[in-house]
Amino acid sequence: MFLAAVMPEANAPLRVDEFGPPTLERGAALLRTLYSEVCGTDVHLHHGKLDVPFPIIPGHVSVGVVEQSGGDLRDIEGSTIKEGDVVTFLDVHETCNNCYYCLVARQPTKCPRRKVYGISYSANDGLLGGWAEAIWMKPGVKMIKLPAELTPETFIGGGCGLVTALHAVDMAEVRLGESVAVLGVGPVGQSIVAFASLSGAGEIIAIGAPQPRLDFARRMGATSTLGLDLHAEARLYAARTLTGGRGPDVVIEASGAPEAVRDALDLVRDGGRVIVCGQYTDNGSVEIHPHWQLNRKHVEIKGCWGSRYDHFHRAVALTARYGNQKPWRDMVSGRFTLGQANEALAAVENRTAIKAVITPNPSLV
Ligand SMILES: [Zn+2]
Ligand SMILES: [Zn+2]
């Protein structure tokens, strides 16, 4: 039997339940969990802001050791994944490659059949979330062995924010020397700062709160920071001063506050690009002025939803290569056991931890 933290319904405390082992069909595997992250999405799930099949075992991005496999397992390079390997896996599964969004629009993150570990699988279906002693890898789940130079702590420190950030920076098409403003300094914003700097951006302005997170953004590569204690006009003035009076070439919103989308449109230079990836749940609406903020400004604005295998694959490669330069590992500021899942959620909600992780098998980490 394996223990797992179960979120029985919205706004109800989590409890620890026992689960039997899955029957491993061909191509399946069982991971012994080392780390599973706690992110803002888990807080939103707990508040009932996403439509999910309660009860669920939360935890979408995780690292574990292959304990058992149902036959020959291989990664996309064809190399064998065997028992004892430390792996992570793409939480998105069952993208169908057989629908309009997959095949015609070529936007698989909008595939209606896709499922996500820890979010859209029910606990009644088994160990399909990371806040559990073991995780059932269904056949076809894309696993990646962590390269020797990548510690599990570094990868989980970035967590799902890495993958979202990479997708957003890709969409922004940051060019060498361009200025970038990042709104929001949570885990997604921190990784956007890191990837913008690795992309060769020039001025990188991190905007958010509280001050320790702005200080952390400097370690990630921000060249300037602006706090929310400044009012919006003062931030606008400061950002323009830093960018030749024009405003940043690229603004990426990763804060979750609807007003940040309006601010992004104000901040960006004429003809610049705005990416919105922080509005993952419905936090309300905001008024924008289409003439001044869009049309006359000649702005390009893109929404960024979910991520694909290629983002995940490159996120692993990038954290392996740059984990010594960018302090993803230090983002982990709270470690919790399964029995402390409620405290872990509270730590993320109250922002006492930039990144909290669950360690379902504390003796292994
Ligand atoms: Zn599809
Ligand atoms: Zn997440």
Side-chain angles (χ1 to χ4, degrees), residues 209-244:
Q211 189 60 41
R213 291 192 178 195
L214 291 171
D215 297 340
F216 198 91
R218 283 201 183 259
R219 296 179 59 200
M220 284 296 205
T223 51
S224 326
T225 59
L226 298 171
L228 299 184
D229 48 329
L230 293 172
H231 60 80
E233 291 90 85
R235 292 198 300 269
L236 189 62
Y237 180 79
R240 285 192 180 148
T241 304
L242 289 163
T243 53

Side-chain angles (χ1 to χ4, degrees), residues 166-175 178 180 249-252 273-275 300 302:
L166 182 52
H167 192 180
V169 172
D170 268 9
M171 287 181 95
E173 297 180 62
V174 175
R175 293 190 299 166
E178 281 192 321
V180 177
D249 300 302
V250 169
V251 181
I252 304 180
R273 287 98 73 199
V274 170
I275 308 296
E300 188 181 344
K302 294 180 185 171

Side-chain angles (χ1 to χ4, degrees), residues 35-363:
Y35 296 101
S36 187
E37 67 162 352
V38 185
C39 92
T41 298
D42 301 307
V43 175
H44 298 318
L45 289 173
H46 196 224
H47 288 183
K49 286 187 152 192
L50 288 158
D51 188 21
V52 296
F54 288 118
I56 62 166
I57 301 172
H60 39 284
V61 170
S62 312
V63 175
V65 180
V66 178
E67 181 157 292
Q68 209 188 335
S69 64
D72 190 32
L73 296 177
R74 289 177 188 269
D75 64 17
I76 64 152
E77 323 260 20
S79 102
T80 304
I81 295 176
K82 57 185 187 311
E83 285 157 25
D85 284 341
V86 177
V87 300
T88 183
F89 62 95
L90 179 63
D91 53 347
V92 176
H93 186 46
E94 297 187 32
T95 303
C96 76
N97 200 32
N98 196 34
C99 73
Y100 185 88
Y101 283 103
C102 284
L103 291 179
V104 181
R106 291 199 279 178
Q107 298 288 352
T109 69
K110 294 308 298 177
C111 172
R113 295 195 183 89
R114 76 200 267 281
K115 295 271 204 177
V116 186
Y117 274 72
I119 296 178
S120 56
Y121 282 117
S122 168
N124 297 327
D125 297 324
L127 292 161
L128 299 169
W131 299 6
E133 288 179 331
I135 317 171
W136 175 21
M137 298 288 93
K138 292 184 151 202
V141 169
K142 292 284 177 285
M143 287 182 272
I144 299 181
K145 280 184 275 190
L146 293 196
E149 63 274 27
L150 177 56
T151 63
E153 293 79 9
T154 297
F155 182 73
I156 207 71
C160 71
L162 285 169
V163 190
T164 305
L166 182 52
H167 192 180
V169 172
D170 268 9
M171 287 181 95
E173 297 180 62
V174 175
R175 293 190 299 166
L176 293 167
E178 281 192 321
S179 52
V180 177
V182 182
L183 305 187
V185 283
V188 176
Q190 298 288 350
S191 283
I192 291 171
V193 167
F195 289 143
S197 107
L198 292 173
S199 302
E203 190 73 35
I204 300 174
I205 310 167
I207 303 176
Q211 189 60 41
R213 291 192 178 195
L214 291 171
D215 297 340
F216 198 91
R218 283 201 183 259
R219 296 179 59 200
M220 284 296 205
T223 51
S224 326
T225 59
L226 298 171
L228 299 184
D229 48 329
L230 293 172
H231 60 80
E233 291 90 85
R235 292 198 300 269
L236 189 62
Y237 180 79
R240 285 192 180 148
T241 304
L242 289 163
T243 53
R246 291 178 293 273
D249 300 302
V250 169
V251 181
I252 304 180
E253 184 282 321
S255 75
E259 310 78 57
V261 176
R262 179 197 61 210
D263 294 348
L265 289 167
D266 284 336
L267 281 164
V268 72
R269 69 156 162 81
D270 282 8
R273 287 98 73 199
V274 170
I275 308 296
V276 176
C277 66
Q279 309 290 316
Y280 187 70
T281 52
D282 181 353
N283 284 327
S285 61
V286 69
E287 193 169 284
I288 60 165
H289 197 301
H291 171 69
W292 288 109
Q293 291 179 302
L294 291 173
N295 201 150
R296 191 181 177 111
K297 209 160 180 179
H298 192 63
V299 157
E300 188 181 344
I301 179 166
K302 294 180 185 171
C304 174
W305 179 258
S307 31
R308 303 182 307 260
Y309 177 81
D310 62 299
H311 303 119
F312 169 68
H313 188 96
R314 290 156 57 223
V316 173
L318 285 164
T319 44
R321 184 173 291 268
Y322 296 106
N324 290 332
Q325 289 177 35
K326 303 291 180 191
W328 282 292
R329 186 190 178 110
D330 297 344
M331 279 215 282
V332 177
S333 39
R335 290 166 176 248
F336 300 86
T337 61
L338 287 177
Q340 296 169 324
N342 291 297
E343 288 93 314
L345 274 178
V348 171
E349 184 166 9
N350 306 331
R351 301 183 174 220
T352 51
I354 296 190
K355 175 61 76 180
V357 296
I358 304 275
T359 55
N361 298 288
S363 63

